[in-house]
Each structure stands twice: as structure tokens, then as C-alpha cells.
Amino acid sequence: MLASSEPTKPRTGWRSPRFTLRGLLVVILLLAIPLGWLAGKISRSQRETSFANQVRKAGGVARFDYDAAGLAYAPSSPKGHWLLRAAFGKNLFSYLCVVDLSQVEDPNAFADDIGRMSQVDTLSLPTGPLSDGLIDNVAALPNLWNLTLDGSTITPEQMRRLCKSNAIGSWRLGGAAAADEILEELQHADHLPQLTILHSPTTDRGLKAISEIDSLHYLAIDQAPAVTNQGFEHLVQLPNLTFLRIDGTQITGKCVDSLAQMPKLEQLTITPGMQKLQYQVRKIYRLDTGTPVDPTKLSRFDCGPLPADFEVVKCVEVQQSEIRLEVWDLYIGK
């Protein structure tokens, strides 16, 4: 019997998709990339949130980028979509950036964890001894810019290790952390644009050490009663200093004689603070030459072009309780 010669009818309806092994691997790879990225975010967020809670429980302060400005300003909203933050935590796309351990009884307990807070840019450490482990982990923080050591009894060797940091640019040193032998280690820092000395035993020897920091742009000294005019003489060697504020030292009005050697200064304030000092009656000097200026020839043309018979000059104004730098328009005509 012959087979039927009727044509076969095409199949109709839904056909199940077919996957090859290669296609399945591609799909897995495409899913793994965003899921791995999200897993990293979740892990980092949980780690930083847990660390912040521990710091606050110990009496310290920990702030994320949306409230880094502190209580004086209203915090902004955490970053990222609200649905993801609701599912995985509000700090999923935010970073811990401010840590203040100055009121923590045992900061060394956080030595290991602080080294994993890679986005911290501002850190304050308290009085008392600090462990080598804490020092090394602080020095390794890749984004740390502001470091405050207020009374921390660190050793010169520990300060030298901190100076190995490639990130720290603003130092605030107070009390024992601003002793002369500690300041002498700052010359080992590759880049140190800002330095603040607070209520410290710093002497003229310490200022001599500071004068060797060529990268220094900003220097503030508050309440260092052992500092004298001799120490100020060292500061004129700083080639890039533009901001200088000194309060509560033995520096007298005689320092004006040295200011002509600091032509890059843009802001200057020297006050006696709690010291029983008085400068001289009001006098004004040109910063670049140190020569006296007649106050009647000084003007300010803030709202129009400078007339041809005037020039812009930096002047040092000396009063009984303050020496400061002012920018004036000086009449040079006949």
C-alpha cells in the first residue's frame, strides 16, 4: 500500500523557546554584573552603618555625606531611589565621611574597623595614647583630608608614619600633639597645605620646624604663649604661605619688619589673645616694601575702574590690639 501523498500541515500554536548553553551563560553573566554591584553596595552600606552605630554608642560622632555639615544645617536626603533604600537600607548610596572619636574613651577599639571606612574624609582623635594599629590604619585611609589630633599623646615615630599618608592635607594639632618634637616630623609629609596649632606648648623651635614645610599655604596658631618674635622670623621662609592667623603668643609689633619678606600673603591677622600685649598706635605699611603709607592716600574703588593715578597695594595695618593685612587703592599721583 502506497503512503499518502497529502502534504503535511504546518504546526500551529506556541512553540517553547530553546536555550543553548552559550546563551544561558550570557544571560547569567548579564545578571551577575548588576547583582554583584548591588551586593557590594549592600555590604559596604551595612559595614559603614554598623560602624557608625558603634561610634555613636561609644559617645562619638559619625555622619554620612547627607548630614556631614552637622547639626547647624538641615540634612539633605540620602542618595538613591527610595525603593532601593527602603529594601536595602537608607545608606545604600551614601558614604560615611565624618568620624569624631574625640569623646570616645577607648578609640583604639576602633583601630581595625576604621581602616575599612574608605570614604572618610574628616577624622578627629582624642587625648591620650593611640595604638600603632590605629595610626597605621588612619594613615592608609585613601580619602582622609582633615585630621584632628587634639591632645593625642602620639610619639614622633607615630607622627612620621602618619605623614606617609598621601591624602591628609589639613592638620589640626592641639596640646601634646603640637609639641616641638612632633612638629619636627611634619617635614616628612609630601603635601601639607593647611596646618592649625591649638592651645599648645609649641615654642620657637616648633615654628622653625614648620618653616621647612614648603607646601604650606594656610597656617593658624591659637594660644601658643611660648612663641616669640624669634619664632616668627622662621615663618618668613615659607615660600607659598598665603594665609596666616596668630593669636595668643608673645609676638609683638616688631614682626612687621619681617612681613616684607612674605609678599604672597593674602590674609594676615595677629592678635595678643590672652597675653598682656599692646602694639603701637595706628600705622600702615606697604607689605612689599615695609615703608609707611599716608592713610589719607588710601581709597577703595570697588564699584568702578581704578583711576590711572592709583595702584592696588597690600598694606599692613597696626593697631593697639591687632595687626592685619588690608588691600587698598593707593594714590600715587603728584
Side-chain angles (χ1 to χ4, degrees), residues 42-94:
I42 294 172
S43 176
R44 191 268 316 153
S45 171
Q46 291 176 344
R47 182 172 62 249
E48 292 186 354
T49 300
S50 175
F51 177 80
N53 291 335
Q54 293 176 25
V55 168
R56 292 163 184 157
K57 186 177 180 180
V61 175
R63 299 193 186 101
F64 286 79
D65 48 22
Y66 53 84
D67 65 347
L71 299 178
Y73 301 90
S76 59
S77 299
K79 299 176 182 177
H81 195 279
W82 69 269
L83 192 57
L84 288 174
R85 288 189 281 109
F88 302 110
K90 71 175 183 178
N91 297 321
L92 182 64
F93 298 102
S94 299

Side-chain angles (χ1 to χ4, degrees), residues 176-192:
D180 294 338
E181 62 271 19
I182 304 300
L183 296 178
E184 288 173 342
E185 299 300 326
L186 290 177
Q187 61 179 305
H188 298 289
D190 290 335
H191 184 61
L192 202 167

Side-chain angles (χ1 to χ4, degrees), residues 314-326:
K314 296 178 183 177
C315 294
V316 179
E317 184 173 350
V318 182
Q319 300 182 7
Q320 284 191 344
S321 59
E322 183 182 40
I323 300 172
R324 70 173 184 267
L325 184 66
E326 297 277 356

Side-chain angles (χ1 to χ4, degrees), residues 252-295:
T252 68
K254 190 181 179 193
C255 69
V256 174
D257 299 336
S258 304
L259 290 176
Q261 303 176 55
M262 308 173 75
K264 287 191 176 182
L265 275 180
E266 296 177 0
Q267 297 184 58
L268 167 71
T269 305
I270 301 176
T271 50
M274 300 178 65
Q275 305 302 310
K276 295 181 178 179
L277 290 177
Q278 282 192 342
Y279 309 127
Q280 56 193 9
V281 295
R282 184 173 186 263
K283 288 188 177 181
I284 301 178
Y285 303 85
R286 287 187 61 140
L287 176 64
D288 54 355
T289 63
T291 56
V293 174
D294 182 357

